[in-house]
Amino acid sequence: MTESKKKITDAVEKNSSLTGQVTQSDEVQKGPMSFLSGSITSGLFAWLCLELSKRIVAYFTIHPPVYSSPIAQSIATGFKTLVVGVCFLATFTFGFIGLGLALVFIRSLFDAKNSDPA
């Protein structure tokens, strides 16, 4: 019984030491091009979400939910509000991330010029 516990303990220690080595050696610093490509990608997603949001609003404007039951009408209106809200939330989120990455890109350009080569 103690031999099996020792083997398990050794295996866990070996695994944790290997994991620690991998995470320490894989630290890669992001550069300005990474920020720029992320900003462009996020801006593209924001634009696509905005177009989708506009089309969803137009669809729900043309096709209003009409039900005889007040409960069904309330559920349909709530669902419509939820869908439109999520679409515009995605638009805002991608736009905000794109703007932030663009600012980080600009800042990284100034930091790269001020850093001293070693």
Side-chain angles (χ1 to χ4, degrees):
M1 190 75 167
T2 58
E3 290 178 22
S4 62
K5 286 184 180 179
K6 184 178 179 187
K7 288 180 183 179
I8 291 172
T9 305
D10 291 341
V12 169
E13 288 175 1
K14 184 178 179 182
N15 188 20
S16 64
S17 67
L18 288 175
T19 306
Q21 291 173 355
V22 170
T23 57
Q24 290 173 359
S25 65
D26 285 345
E27 293 180 18
V28 178
Q29 199 170 18
K30 299 287 184 181
M33 292 308 291
S34 177
F35 300 134
L36 179 64
S37 66
S39 176
I40 291 171
T41 303
S42 185
L44 178 66
F45 281 140
W47 178 74
L48 290 173
C49 286
L50 180 63
E51 291 300 316
L52 178 68
S53 299
K54 287 195 262 184
R55 290 180 185 191
I56 286 177
V57 168
Y59 176 82
F60 281 132
T61 302
I62 293 170
H63 302 94
V66 179
Y67 295 100
S68 59
S69 171
I71 294 173
Q73 184 72 27
S74 176
I75 291 171
T77 304
F79 178 73
K80 176 183 79 165
T81 304
L82 183 67
V83 169
V84 170
V86 167
C87 287
F88 278 106
L89 179 65
T91 302
F92 169 76
T93 302
F94 282 121
F96 196 71
I97 290 170
L99 178 66
L101 283 172
L103 292 174
V104 171
F105 167 70
I106 293 169
R107 193 184 103 200
S108 70
L109 289 178
F110 291 120
D111 288 345
K113 289 180 182 177
N114 294 335
S115 65
D116 295 325

